[in-house]
Amino acid sequence: MDELRMTPPVRLSRAALDALPATAAKPTYARQDLRCGIVHIGVGNFHRAHQAWYLHRLMNEGAAHDWAIIGAGVRPGDAVMREKLLAQDCLTTLIELRPDGSSAEICGSMIDFLPVEPDNAALIAQMANPAIRIVSLTVTEGGYFVNPSNGQFDANHPDIAHDAANPAQPRTAFGAIVAALGQRRSAGRGPFTVQSCDNLRGNGAVTRETVVGLAQLSDPDLADWIARHCTFPNSMVDCIVPATGPAEIAAARSFGLDDAAPVTHENFRQWVIEDAFCAGRPDWDRVGVTFSDRVHDYEAMKIRILNAGHQVLANAGELLGLLTIADCMADTRVSAFWRKVELEEIVPHVADVPDMTAPDYVHLIERRFSNPAIRDTTRRVAFDGSSRHTGFVLPILRDALLANAPLDGLALVEALWARMCFGTREDGSLIEPNDPAWDVLQSSAQAARAQPVAWLQQGHIYGTLKDNERFAAAFDRWLRMIWEDGTASTLEAYVNGG
C-alpha cells in the first residue's frame, strides 16, 4: 500500500477500468454490452452494496446482462447522488470491512441514472419502456405512506392527494409507478414487478397496498388491472452499510481509487425473496439469494432481532456519547442491556427459520454489531425513530402484552428514546435534530420530563398502547429513573433485575 499512497488515485470511470490498480477487483463483463431490465428508485448506499452487488456478481458469471439497473430518485437530494455517479459512469467502489482487514471491488451493474424532476416525467417514460421488467425501491421505512397508528395506506397524505389529483405529474415514486403502469396498459405492453428492498415487515404487501390504493383514487379500472397483473414480492434484506463521509472516501483512495461516492459494508449479506415476478427475474439464487415462501419468518427474525436491536442500542449510545454501534457493544453496560432485552424479551416472539434458531441469530448479530471496522454511527441508526420504533419495536411490545410476557426492557427502550429526544446527552452536549418530526418529538419529550405520560400521548405513534397500564407504569418508572439517576445507572438497574 505504500506505493499506492505515493501514486495519485485513479478517477473511477469506464474508460479507466483497465488502468485501475490491481488492489480492487473489476467487473469481468463488458459494461457497454449491458441492457437495462431494472429501474431502481432510491439509489443510496444500501442498494449499491446489496441488490446492485448481487446482480453484479451474477453478471460476473456471464448471466443477466439484460438486467442492468437504471437509477432514479424522486427527491431533490437524489440529484446530488446522480451527479456523483454519472461523473464516474455509475461505477461504485464497494469496500468490505472485516475485523481483520478490508478489500475492494468495483460494481458495474448500474448503467444510467435518470434526471430527478418534479413531475417525474423521465422516470415514468423509462418505467413505461417494455424492457423494464422490475421496478425496485429503497425509499426508507417511512416512505410508504402508511398511517403508523393503524398500518393502513394513508390516502389523506398531502403528497398522495396531489398524485391522485394530478396522475400525469406525480410527486411520489408510487405516483410515477401508477402513471407508468397506466401507459403500459394503454399500449398493451404488460406489467412489471414492483419490488421493495426496504426493511419493512411485509414490504411487498405494503407496496401493493400503496400502489393499488393510490391508483384507486384516480383510476379504479387501472387499479383493478394492477391488482390482477402486477406482482409485489415480499423480501427480507440484510447488510450493514454505514453512511459515506470523508473516512470512506479516504478508504477508497487507500486502494488507489478516486471515487466520490464509495460504499463500505460489513462482510455479511442476506436476501430472502418470494418467487413472485410477473415479468421474469435474474437468477439471483445462483449467487446466494434465497427464494422462499417463508419470507415473513425470515423478515420477522431480522427486523425484530437486528432492526429492533439497533433501536435498543442507539438511543442509549447517543445519551452516553458512544459514537458507533461497535462502541455501544464494547460498553459493558449497554451490551448487557442489549443482550438481556434480546434474549428475554424479543426472542420469545421470534420463530426459528431453516438452519437458524432465534438465539443463534442473536449471537450472530452480536458478532456483527461488535465489528470495530464498521463505523456505523449511533446517530444514523437512531435517525427517524418515529418510523423505526413504530415499525420495529412497538409490534414486539404489543405481542408481549398479548402474551403477558416480560416487557420492562422494551419499555426502557421507549423511555431512552423519549430522553434522547429531549435533545441533550448525559454530559450536557446538544443532540442535533434527528427525525423528520423532531420538533413534535422534542416538545413531547420536554413535557414528559415532569409527566412521563405526555410522551405516550402521541397517538400517531403509540395508538392504544398509551392506555395499557402495565406498559405505561413501566415506562413512567424508567423515564423518571433516567432523569434522576442517569442512563448508565438505569441500564444497570434493569440488567440486575431492578
Side-chain angles (χ1 to χ4, degrees), residues 20 225 300 388 420:
L20 293 178
W225 183 86
R388 294 182 177 186
M420 191 275 289

Side-chain angles (χ1 to χ4, degrees), residues 286-306:
R286 287 175 49 180
V287 289
V289 173
T290 300
F291 286 94
S292 173
D293 58 3
R294 292 189 59 191
V295 169
H296 289 302
D297 289 338
Y298 282 94
E299 70 182 359
M301 177 177 282
K302 188 261 178 172
I303 286 175
R304 293 193 166 200
I305 293 176
L306 188 151

Side-chain angles (χ1 to χ4, degrees), residues 212-237:
V212 174
L214 175 55
Q216 188 72 37
L217 296 175
S218 59
D219 189 339
D221 289 340
L222 174 59
D224 291 343
W225 183 86
I226 293 171
R228 287 196 310 271
H229 297 288
C230 293
T231 50
F232 302 81
N234 289 300
S235 66
M236 185 277 279
V237 297

Side-chain angles (χ1 to χ4, degrees), residues 441-475:
L441 293 172
Q442 188 169 49
S443 177
S444 295
Q446 289 170 347
R449 179 169 186 174
Q451 295 293 332
V453 70
W455 178 261
L456 301 183
Q457 294 303 318
Q458 298 177 95
H460 63 291
I461 293 174
Y462 289 100
T464 58
L465 281 172
K466 63 183 173 56
D467 301 319
N468 185 279
E469 292 183 9
R470 189 157 75 98
F471 166 58
F475 175 87

Side-chain angles (χ1 to χ4, degrees), residues 181-219:
L181 287 170
Q183 291 186 18
R184 290 172 75 118
R185 182 187 61 151
S186 298
R189 294 173 181 167
F192 51 68
T193 296
V194 185
Q195 183 180 23
S196 170
C197 298
D198 277 300
N199 284 314
L200 195 65
R201 185 81 189 268
N203 57 9
V206 171
T207 305
R208 176 188 175 91
E209 186 173 351
T210 301
V211 172
V212 174
L214 175 55
Q216 188 72 37
L217 296 175
S218 59
D219 189 339

